[in-house]
Amino acid sequence: DRIGEMLARCEQYHSWGVPFCWVIDPDKQTAWQYHAGLEPERIGQNGVLHAGELSVGLGEIFAEQPR
């Protein structure tokens, strides 16, 4: 799916009460984090995704994936 479609899906999740949504692009090794009530934020290859008290570095997610 395209990024716009994925972020629209996150908006739907927010309307159901889901506070956090991540969209991860394995090809570009980047991600978007979208917290309810805020604008989506692009997270680069060396960034960290947050959801409440949970934090995950993109480097950890992509450690096993060839570049």
Side-chain angles (χ1 to χ4, degrees):
D1 290 338
R2 294 186 177 158
I3 190 69
E5 294 168 347
M6 295 301 296
L7 293 175
R9 192 169 301 150
C10 287
E11 289 179 19
Q12 185 176 25
Y13 296 157
H14 293 326
S15 73
W16 295 339
V18 175
F20 310 108
C21 184
W22 295 341
V23 176
I24 299 172
D25 183 340
D27 292 330
K28 295 182 181 175
Q29 295 192 350
T30 60
W32 293 83
Q33 65 182 8
Y34 194 2
H35 297 182
L38 300 175
E39 292 294 316
E41 177 186 5
R42 184 180 179 280
I43 307 297
Q45 290 179 340
N46 297 317
V48 177
L49 293 165
H50 300 278
E53 294 184 22
L54 175 68
S55 297
V56 179
L58 285 184
E60 292 177 64
I61 293 172
F62 298 123
E64 298 291 322
Q65 183 176 353
R67 294 182 180 230

